[in-house]
Every structure is written in C-alpha cells, then in structure tokens.
Amino acid sequence: MAVRAVRGAVQLERDEAGHMDEQVGALLTAILERNGLTTDDLISIWFTATPDLHSDFPAAAARKLGIVDVPLICAQALDIEGAMPRVVRILAHIESDKPRVEIAHVYLGAAAALRKDIAQ
C-alpha cells in the first residue's frame, strides 16, 4: 500500500459556518467517492482557507462527516492580490494501491479554474 496525496478545492458563495460545512463536506465526500476511499484510508488532511473566510474551521466539516480519528489541521492561505476569494483547499494524505496518475483530484464549481491541469 502506497502513501498518496489528493488535492481538492471549493469556492464558497459566502462566509457562513453552515455554508462552509455544506461545501467542505461535499468536497470531502467527492474526494472519497471518486477515489474509492473510506475514512480508514485517510492518514491526515490539511485544510487551507483564504483570509476572507473566518466563520468556522474547515476541519469542523470533516468531524461532522464522522472523520474523527484522522489528524486534521487548518491554516490560512497566502493573501495574494487577485487570487480567487472564499476558497477552501484540501490536501489529504491517503493509503492507496492506485498509481499516482489514477488519483482523482477534485475541484468543485468555480474552483475548477484553479487547477485545470488536474481538476476532474
């Protein structure tokens, strides 16, 4: 079993805790489903949020999905002029037999524009 990394992102419509839970939950669910993963396959997850998001921790959405025994950490993304606003990004470390090229990176909605090279 190899250690792999899965990327993902979603742009929120507004900075509200309930909306963040919904959108980050949808992103995590899509990452798990598209890669055929269960929570047992997760090693750790890094979340970043752009500086304009402060209503909640993105990791709270993972806990609400039942991801309770996986190390999670949140950080603030760089404040780059002209960057897409209200974005939560995920970097999940997983155990998988899939080769790197078969890992599905998930960019939902407008966030697909962030990584057109790997967004699926």
Side-chain angles (χ1 to χ4, degrees):
M1 189 79 58
V3 174
R4 300 286 184 226
V6 183
R7 293 282 317 270
V10 64
Q11 183 182 39
L12 306 184
E13 294 175 14
R14 58 194 174 279
D15 183 24
E16 293 176 3
H19 181 61
M20 182 180 290
D21 282 347
E22 176 186 298
Q23 295 299 304
V24 174
L27 177 59
L28 282 167
T29 299
I31 286 172
L32 293 173
E33 288 176 354
R34 292 183 193 179
N35 287 287
L37 301 170
T38 68
T39 57
D40 288 338
D41 300 316
L42 297 171
I43 296 169
S44 64
I45 305 174
W46 281 80
F47 297 86
T48 64
T50 51
D52 51 1
L53 293 175
H54 37 73
S55 62
D56 202 359
F57 294 99
R63 298 294 184 218
K64 290 176 184 170
L65 286 177
I67 302 172
V68 296
D69 62 349
V70 175
L72 309 175
I73 193 164
C74 297
Q76 188 176 76
L78 295 173
D79 190 10
I80 303 298
E81 187 174 329
M84 185 180 287
R86 300 177 317 281
V87 175
V88 174
R89 291 175 175 86
I90 290 176
L91 174 63
H93 298 97
I94 63 168
E95 291 181 320
S96 176
D97 287 327
K98 288 184 177 186
R100 233 181 246 145
V101 298
E102 291 181 18
I103 299 296
H105 304 282
V106 180
Y107 290 77
L108 299 179
L114 294 171
R115 289 299 306 263
K116 293 178 184 176
D117 58 327
I118 64 172
Q120 299 189 10

